[in-house]
Amino acid sequence: MLPYLTEEWGNPSSPYRLGKRLVEPIEAARESIAALVGADSSEIVFTSCGTESINTAITSCLYTQPSKRHVVTTAVEHSATMKSCAALERRGYEVTYLPVNRAGALDLRAVERVLRPDTAVVSVMWANNETGVLFPIGEIAALCRDRGILIHTDAVQTPGKVVINVGELGVDLLSLSAHKLHGPKGIGSLYVRKGTPFWPLIIGGHQEEGNRGGTENVPYIAAFGRAAELARAIGPQDRQALAARRDSFEAEVLARIPGSSRNGAKEPRLPNTSSLSFAGVDAEALLLLLDQLGICASSGSACTTGSMAPSHVLTAMGLNPTEARGTIRFSLDYETTGEDVAYLMSHLPRLVGELRAAASPRAIARMAGTRSELAVQPA
Ligand SMILES: *Cc1c(COP(=O)(O)O)cnc(C)c1O
């Protein structure tokens, strides 16, 4: 990023060299992202984030097929999709939210049953950001293709963790976000299969072939390209090692902490994500205590943390609000060491035990869904 924040600060749309020479790094980054997903670089559009990519994909399918007013998605999508769909409903579109089972899995026959001649787009995430559960996007795409329905997947969680090949997958549109693959926050991409009808969400200048107006964020685009290269270099052995570390962490938690359980199917799942419930524990209190120790974990998705509502993903999987409020998501990474996990495990069983012992009637009332201030304060 640095050269593009210091010396190379030109505008790529300018007629002079200071700007024009920035076209090359933008196109190099586009090639890297295309290579990461198995696409042609002409099929990659840069956006400001994953959320913009998702909004663009869904609205494009609706704008280009005005007679089709039905959208299919799932009950466990990221808020970028959930809230876009809720907004569409308020504007008179019909949205079907496919349910999941206790393991977080979709029933393919149920997908097939809800597809209609007026379905404009099926938008289904590939990997769930809270549980890591993977949906069978290839099979869903095949069902859509047979019926002439466009398919978009929110693949934001997958780079580096799953091999992405848009050709094999058979999707028409695919969204990514750089900060989920160690890139900067505030840059994303949308794959649009050649020949897919497309209508931009952000209309303005001729940038991105008119597919997304607005002067390019060159430093972020360059960094996204480099992050994509690094993600593409992650191989099957790295993924296996990551999954093994996650699995042994999970096994240790389940063995050492009574009343703990894993959410979501063991497979197919991302190699790094672990959603764990601790009966009788308020996850928000546990997160505060972990944070004091320098351990970063999350309840629900970062976008909704702070809201008191239990995770819509966990409740869609059939957890009751109390169980959902006792759930933490741990995300490992290729850089997470065995020592990191050992450090976490040197504290986690004790903290869970202390929170259970300290659970006051107020805390229990809160966990049961009654509003009251946090009962357990960190030291
Ligand atoms: C983070 C995330 C998004 C949103 O991406 P932003 O770049 O933060 O807008 C969308 N979907 C999933 C699954 C995510 O994890």
Side-chain angles (χ1 to χ4, degrees):
M1 295 172 84
L2 277 176
Y4 307 107
L5 288 167
T6 52
E7 298 96 52
E8 298 290 341
W9 44 266
N11 181 339
S13 300
S14 304
Y16 40 78
R17 275 170 303 154
L18 179 66
K20 267 206 298 218
R21 63 177 178 241
L22 294 174
V23 171
E24 199 274 320
I26 292 176
E27 294 317 307
R30 200 186 307 281
E31 298 275 351
S32 303
I33 290 147
L36 177 68
V37 302
D40 188 83
S41 64
S42 64
E43 299 171 308
I44 303 297
V45 180
F46 286 114
T47 64
S48 70
C49 59
T51 301
E52 184 191 319
S53 298
I54 292 165
N55 276 263
T56 304
I58 297 173
T59 53
S60 172
C61 294
L62 295 171
Y63 285 153
T64 56
Q65 308 172 95
S67 63
K68 298 184 171 183
R69 300 186 61 85
H70 178 228
V71 175
V72 174
T73 187
T74 79
V76 296
E77 299 292 312
H78 186 272
S79 54
T81 304
M82 294 304 276
K83 293 201 179 163
S84 294
C85 285
L88 289 171
E89 285 184 285
R90 289 195 294 276
R91 288 168 49 199
Y93 290 94
E94 203 184 322
V95 181
T96 301
Y97 300 89
L98 291 161
V100 295
N101 65 16
R102 183 82 191 191
L106 277 178
D107 176 1
L108 268 180
R109 280 161 311 177
V111 179
E112 197 167 1
R113 270 198 302 274
V114 302
L115 300 179
R116 313 193 313 214
D118 68 333
T119 305
V121 58
V122 172
S123 184
V124 173
M125 69 197 324
W126 193 356
N128 188 276
N129 48 304
E130 291 190 33
T131 62
V133 169
L134 291 160
F135 283 151
I137 295 301
E139 272 118 312
I140 296 169
L143 293 175
C144 293
R145 214 170 30 246
D146 289 349
R147 291 162 180 76
I149 298 170
L150 293 173
I151 167 128
H152 164 250
T153 189
D154 167 0
V156 169
Q157 285 287 329
T158 58
K161 305 172 202 157
V162 176
V163 177
I164 311 174
N165 186 306
V166 286
E168 281 169 21
L169 214 50
V171 294
D172 300 300
L173 301 130
L174 179 143
S175 294
L176 294 183
S177 173
H179 75 99
K180 302 292 171 65
L181 51 139
H182 295 248
K185 294 162 288 291
I187 186 80
S189 68
L190 180 63
Y191 156 78
V192 185
R193 175 189 298 284
K194 215 167 276 173
T196 304
F198 185 78
W199 190 261
L201 181 68
I202 308 293
I203 298 170
H206 53 80
Q207 295 90 354
E208 300 297 291
E209 307 284 333
N211 292 323
R212 202 274 183 185
T215 301
E216 300 88 339
N217 189 341
V218 183
Y220 281 48
I221 288 173
F224 187 9
R226 180 69 183 134
E229 261 175 50
L230 295 172
R232 199 158 80 94
I234 293 167
Q237 277 153 4
D238 304 308
R239 279 188 281 276
Q240 273 158 25
L242 178 58
R245 177 151 290 153
R246 188 268 319 269
D247 291 347
S248 75
F249 159 66
E250 245 174 25
E252 192 182 345
V253 169
L254 300 179
R256 285 182 54 194
I257 305 180
S260 61
S261 52
R262 186 194 61 243
N263 298 301
K266 201 161 162 39
E267 292 295 337
R269 187 166 55 136
L270 291 178
N272 75 311
T273 309
S274 186
S275 171
L276 298 170
S277 293
F278 303 98
V281 169
D282 179 352
E284 297 295 329
L286 182 52
L287 288 175
L288 284 174
L289 297 176
L290 289 172
D291 189 29
Q292 303 272 308
L293 297 163
I295 297 165
C296 310
S298 173
S299 66
S301 65
C303 315
T304 48
T305 302
S307 71
M308 301 300 271
S311 147
H312 70 281
V313 173
L314 298 171
T315 48
M317 288 164 65
L319 273 71
N320 67 39
T322 311
E323 291 168 324
R325 286 202 182 88
T327 302
I328 290 197
R329 172 185 56 164
F330 294 97
S331 301
L332 282 76
D333 182 73
Y334 297 97
E335 292 169 5
T336 309
T337 64
E339 274 165 39
D340 293 331
V341 175
Y343 175 65
L344 167 60
M345 287 312 293
S346 71
H347 291 288
L348 188 61
R350 175 180 58 80
L351 293 178
V352 168
E354 283 172 10
L355 284 174
R356 282 177 179 156
S360 65
R362 221 157 41 128
I364 291 163
R366 181 175 178 274
M367 285 186 292
T370 323
R371 270 179 185 275
S372 133
E373 67 199 74
L374 204 59
V376 183
Q377 294 292 344

